[in-house]
Amino acid sequence: MRRILVTHALPYANGPLHFGHILEAVQTDVWARYMRLAGHECVLVCADDTHGTPMMLKAQAEGITPEELIAAVAAEHRATYAGFLIEYDFFHSTHSAENREMTDRIYRTLDASGYIARRTIRQAYDAEAQMFLPDRYVKGTCPRCGAKDQYGDSCEVCGATYSPSELIDPLSVVSGTRPVERESEHLFFRLAAFEPMLREWTRSGAIDDSVANKLDEWFDAGLRDWDISRDAPYFGFEIPGHPGKYFYVWLDAPIGYMGASLALARRDGLNFDSWWGPDSNAELHHFIGKDILYFHTLFWPAVLTGAGFRRPTAVHTHGFLTVNGQKMSKSRGTFITGARYLERLPPEALRYYFAAKLSPGVEDMDLSLDDFVSRYNSDVVGKLVNIASRCAGFIARGGGRLAAELPEPALYAEFAAARERVGALYERCDFAAAIREIAALADRANQYIDAHKPWNLAKDPARAAEALAVCTQGVNLFRVLITFLKPVLPAMADRAASFLGQPLRHWDDVTTPLLGSPLAAYEPLATRLDSKVVATLVEAEVPAAASTPAPVAATAPAAAPAAGPKAAPAAPPAEITVDEFARIDLRVARVVAAEFVDGADKLLKLTVDMGAEQRTVFAGIRGAYAPEQLVGRHVVVVANLKPRKMRFGVSQGMVLAASGDGAGVFLVSPDPDAAAGMAVK
C-alpha cells in the first residue's frame, strides 16, 4: 500500500470559484479517488489563499475586515467544492495558526542557513494611500508600443516587460495619483543557490517533459533571487524580527499545503513528518495550472530543500480552460461560477465532461456546451445507464435475483481485465483515454444485449431462463463499468451499488462477478441534460442571438454550433439557387479507418473509400462518435470541395453532418446498401 498526500492549487479568497477552479479540483479529486479505490492511503488537503494587497483593498472597499471577508468566502468555497463532490480530508486557510507556525519555522531555517539576503530596493509608492504598490497596482502607457492602460510589469498589447518606473504617465490604481519612488529594505530568497538540485529534480520524472523544457529556458536566463517581503500596510504574517515587514503571499501560500497537513495531523493524531519530513516514504503530488509553474517547480522545491523538508514526488500541470472557444469573460458570459452551474445542473455531468477531456499534458481545454450536452447524454445516459435500465426489468420479472452462472464468462473476464489498463491511465492522469476505453466497453456491453435480445427471449416462457442469464451478464458488465467510473461519478456509483446490493469498495472487486444475489428495485441513475437549461449558464451576460438548425460542415474543428443563450426567433437560413446547389458533388463513401487526432479535441481523422479512390477527411465529430463506431459505415462526402490544409494534415473533402437545438451532431447516412462512389441525387 502506498501512502500519498495530494493537493491542488489554493483558490484565492477574494471571489467565487469559477470553472477553472472546478476543473483543477475535479482532476485532483478523480486521481485521489482512484488511488483510494485501488487500495492506497491517499490524503487530499487544500486551503484558501488569503493574504496579499488585493485582499486588503477589497475588504476596505466593502467596509469589513480582511478576516470577515475570508470567512465569508471560505464558506462559499467549501459549499461549492462539496457541491462538486470534492472529497477533502482537510480544507484549511493560509490565515491560520498552523500556517503561521510553518511559515515562521521555514523562514528561520532558511535565514540561519544563509539562504536569505537583504538589500535596499526602489519601488513605486502611493503617497496618498501611504503604501508601496505591487507592479500590477500601477498602470500607464507602454513605453515600447504606446498602448494605454497597461500594468506596471508587462504590456498586454505588445508583450514588453518593464518596471513601473518605465511606464509613461503612471498612475496608482488605489488612489489614481502619480506614484513616486521610495527606498525600502527587502528580504530575498537565494533561489540561484539551488540551481544544481533543481536541474536534477526537474529531469527526475517529477514533471512532464514539456514542462521541464520550459524550465530550461528559465535556467538558461539565470535564476534570480526571490523577493519574499512586502511593506506595511499588507494583509499577511509579519516577518519575525522585522517590524512592518510581511511575508509575500507567494511564500506562505504553498506553505498552506503544510499548514493544512499539520492541522489534520493534530486533529487525527497523525505524524506530520511522515508526509513532509526529509526521510518521508510517502508520495507528495501537487496539481496546478500552467500559469503557476515557476512557483511550484522552482521556488517551492527550493524552499522545501533549504528548510530541510522533502521535495514533491510529482507536479501535475494542466492547461487553461476556455468556454465555447473563448477565454472566460464576464462580458461574453463565459465566466461561469461553480455556484451558478450547481443551481441548474448535476455536478457529475461536468465531472464526467472534464474527465473526458483531461490528459497528462499542458494543452488548453475547451468546454463546448453543445459537446458537453451531447457527450454526457450519449456516453452516460445512452450507453452506461442504459445497460442497467434495460436489464433490470427482466431480472425483476424473473424473481429479482441474478442467475447462478454467466452465459459468457470469457466476455466478463475480458471486461474485468481492462482494470489494469484503465487504472494505469487514471494514475498517469490520462483521464480522457480512460474514458474512451470505458465508453468502448459500454458499446460492447450494449451490443451484447442487442445481439441476444432478452426482450424477445422473455416472450417465450420456455426461454425465460435465457433472458435472465443475458441480463445477468449485462448487469455484471455494468458493474465493471460503474466501478471504473466511480472516481469520476462517485454519487452515481453509490446509487448503483444500492441497486446491485453490493458496495463498490475496491478496484479489484470486479474480478469476481455477482451471481445468484438479489437486486434492489431499479431507480434511474441519470437523466438527459436539457440543452436549453445548459444554455442558461451563459444567458444572463450575453445578448440573445439567433440560432438556426442547419447542416454543419464536419471538416472544421468547430463542427457543432457553439452553445449560446436561449435563441431568439429563428432567422431564415441564407438562400442559395438550384444552380449553386447543383455544383456540389455529393458522393457515398465508406469509412475504412478512423482515429483520434492528437492535439485536437473535436477532430477525428477518417479514411474514406469513394470507390475509385481513398481520401483523408478531418471531421469535427469527436464529441458524438468514437472511431470504432465509424469503421465500415457509409457517409455522404462533398467530393469536389477544395482540399484544406490543416496543421494536422490535408483534409480532402467534407463529411456531411447536421445539428440543431443542442441535440448533438449526427452524420448524414445513405441507405445501408449504397455503394461507395455512388452520386447522391
Side-chain angles (χ1 to χ4, degrees):
M1 180 181 71
R2 292 155 59 185
R3 298 182 63 250
I4 308 167
L5 180 65
V6 186
T7 78
H8 66 74
L10 279 56
Y12 202 45
N14 67 339
L17 300 174
H18 55 67
F19 267 16
H21 296 115
I22 304 306
L23 166 68
E24 183 170 286
V26 166
Q27 182 186 34
T28 311
D29 185 69
V30 168
W31 194 86
R33 283 180 181 272
Y34 165 71
M35 287 300 176
R36 296 180 189 123
L37 195 59
H40 305 300
E41 178 189 344
C42 187
V43 175
L44 173 56
V45 299
C46 195
D48 269 339
D49 181 5
T50 60
H51 292 155
T53 303
M55 195 68 60
M56 177 182 70
L57 294 178
K58 181 169 184 177
Q60 289 175 358
E62 295 186 9
I64 58 177
T65 65
E67 289 81 3
E68 290 172 324
L69 174 62
I70 62 179
V73 172
E76 182 180 348
H77 284 186
R78 290 170 187 267
T80 301
Y81 280 138
F84 281 100
L85 310 178
I86 312 301
E87 191 175 44
Y88 297 107
D89 291 276
F90 204 92
F91 191 90
H92 209 29
S93 168
T94 59
H95 194 65
S96 65
E98 294 84 4
N99 204 45
R100 182 190 292 272
E101 177 182 336
M102 291 307 307
T103 302
D104 285 358
R105 176 179 168 184
I106 286 174
Y107 167 74
R108 293 179 190 278
T109 303
L110 293 175
D111 192 24
S113 302
Y115 296 125
I116 302 297
R118 293 159 176 79
R119 68 174 65 108
T120 299
I121 66 168
R122 295 180 63 84
Q123 63 183 120
Y125 183 82
D126 186 324
E128 183 172 314
Q130 297 185 9
M131 62 180 292
F132 285 97
L133 298 170
D135 290 350
R136 294 183 71 82
Y137 275 72
V138 182
K139 281 191 171 185
T141 300
C142 173
R144 175 175 295 178
C145 72
K148 297 184 181 301
D149 200 33
Q150 297 303 306
Y151 289 111
D153 56 356
S154 64
C155 177
E156 294 183 332
V157 176
C158 72
T161 59
Y162 41 72
S163 66
S165 62
E166 296 176 88
L167 281 175
I168 300 170
D169 298 325
L171 292 175
S172 165
V173 301
V174 179
S175 67
T177 61
R178 187 182 183 95
V180 298
E181 282 198 344
R182 287 195 180 177
E183 290 186 346
S184 176
E185 184 180 77
H186 275 223
L187 306 177
F188 291 79
F189 173 63
R190 297 179 55 232
L191 180 61
F194 297 89
E195 181 174 337
M197 178 277 294
L198 290 171
R199 283 186 179 273
E200 179 182 354
W201 178 79
T202 56
R203 291 296 179 179
S204 67
I207 58 178
D208 188 77
D209 286 344
S210 62
V211 174
N213 293 337
K214 176 63 179 177
L215 297 185
D216 281 344
E217 298 176 16
W218 285 325
F219 286 132
D220 294 341
L223 300 181
R224 295 181 296 175
D225 289 353
W226 191 261
D227 189 343
I228 63 167
S229 65
R230 291 297 183 267
D231 294 280
Y234 190 84
F235 182 60
F237 294 145
E238 194 169 37
I239 300 175
H242 296 271
K245 304 286 184 182
Y246 291 80
F247 288 119
Y248 177 41
V249 61
W250 263 110
L251 178 70
D252 68 64
I255 295 174
Y257 304 139
M258 305 177 80
S261 303
L262 181 60
L264 171 62
R266 287 174 174 169
R267 185 194 71 182
D268 294 351
L270 305 175
N271 187 338
F272 172 84
D273 288 336
S274 70
W275 291 324
W276 290 97
D279 299 322
S280 170
N281 63 358
E283 299 174 33
L284 173 60
H285 292 256
H286 296 307
F287 286 79
I288 63 164
K290 64 182 180 181
D291 56 324
I292 53 176
L293 269 176
Y294 194 99
F295 302 103
H296 282 81
T297 57
L298 295 177
F299 181 62
W300 179 231
V303 166
L304 287 170
T305 302
F309 293 101
R310 55 88 46 81
R311 291 184 290 276
T313 306
V315 178
H316 308 280
T317 309
H318 62 82
F320 296 138
L321 177 70
T322 57
V323 178
N324 285 340
Q326 298 178 323
K327 291 182 179 180
M328 287 191 290
S329 163
K330 291 182 180 178
S331 62
R332 294 190 185 105
T334 52
F335 184 90
I336 306 173
T337 66
R340 181 178 178 83
Y341 176 93
L342 291 171
E343 290 171 356
R344 294 161 171 78
L345 295 160
E348 288 180 301
L350 191 63
R351 286 177 64 102
Y352 182 84
Y353 189 77
F354 280 159
K357 305 270 280 185
L358 278 163
S359 63
V362 295
E363 295 82 8
D364 295 344
M365 175 196 302
D366 183 55
L367 167 58
S368 161
L369 295 184
D370 274 348
D371 185 39
F372 167 53
V373 172
S374 175
R375 182 170 299 206
Y376 182 78
N377 288 348
S378 172
D379 286 7
V380 177
V381 181
K383 295 179 183 179
L384 174 71
V385 171
N386 191 46
I387 301 168
S389 64
R390 68 198 309 201
C391 292
F394 297 109
I395 293 175
R397 275 189 243 167
R401 188 177 290 272
L402 295 169
E405 295 181 353
L406 291 177
E408 295 195 27
L411 177 63
Y412 181 83
E414 186 179 343
F415 270 55
R419 73 189 185 283
E420 300 290 344
R421 299 192 304 275
V422 175
L425 291 170
Y426 273 129
E427 174 153 5
R428 67 170 179 257
C429 297
D430 198 350
F431 301 167
I435 294 296
R436 288 196 299 270
E437 182 94 13
I438 295 167
L441 290 172
D443 281 334
R444 292 189 59 197
N446 279 295
Q447 290 162 6
Y448 168 82
I449 296 168
D450 290 339
H452 291 83
K453 298 179 173 55
W455 48 90
N456 286 340
L457 296 173
K459 294 176 184 177
D460 183 353
R463 306 189 70 181
E466 290 181 59
L468 177 63
V470 168
C471 291
T472 295
Q473 181 89 30
V475 165
N476 272 281
L477 298 181
F478 166 77
R479 175 173 170 260
V480 174
L481 298 175
I482 196 64
T483 299
F484 290 172
L485 282 171
K486 185 174 181 180
V488 180
L489 307 173
M492 189 181 299
D494 286 345
R495 294 195 299 274
S498 297
F499 160 65
L500 296 168
Q502 292 284 341
L504 306 176
R505 288 199 182 100
H506 196 280
W507 191 250
D508 288 336
D509 284 348
V510 298
T511 56
T512 304
L514 294 181
L515 297 171
S517 58
L519 294 183
Y522 177 79
E523 296 182 2
L525 295 173
T527 56
R528 294 177 63 84
L529 297 180
D530 186 335
S531 60
K532 294 186 172 111
V533 175
V534 172
T536 66
L537 289 172
V538 295
E539 185 177 61
E541 289 79 12
V542 183
S547 174
T548 304
V552 294
T555 56
K566 189 179 293 183
E575 294 180 344
I576 62 172
T577 67
V578 173
D579 290 339
E580 289 173 322
F581 181 76
R583 294 176 58 199
I584 304 174
D585 184 5
L586 300 177
R587 295 200 169 265
V588 174
R590 183 172 62 87
V591 179
V592 296
E595 60 187 83
F596 294 107
V597 179
D598 290 339
D601 289 338
K602 299 180 181 178
L603 293 182
L604 294 179
K605 180 182 178 181
L606 309 181
T607 302
V608 296
D609 182 357
M610 299 180 62
E613 62 175 320
Q614 290 190 356
R615 294 188 185 180
T616 297
V617 176
F618 290 95
I621 54 175
R622 178 167 172 170
Y625 296 91
E628 59 270 14
Q629 295 176 280
L630 300 174
V631 176
R633 178 171 180 157
H634 284 79
V635 294
V636 176
V637 175
V638 180
N640 61 339
L641 186 70
K642 183 178 180 180
R644 179 184 176 192
K645 186 175 182 180
M646 309 173 73
R647 67 186 178 96
F648 313 103
V650 177
S651 187
Q652 300 169 303
M654 175 182 288
V655 175
L656 293 189
S659 176
D661 196 26
V665 178
F666 301 92
L667 285 171
V668 177
S669 297
D671 291 337
D673 57 353
M678 178 185 296
V680 179
K681 303 295 186 182

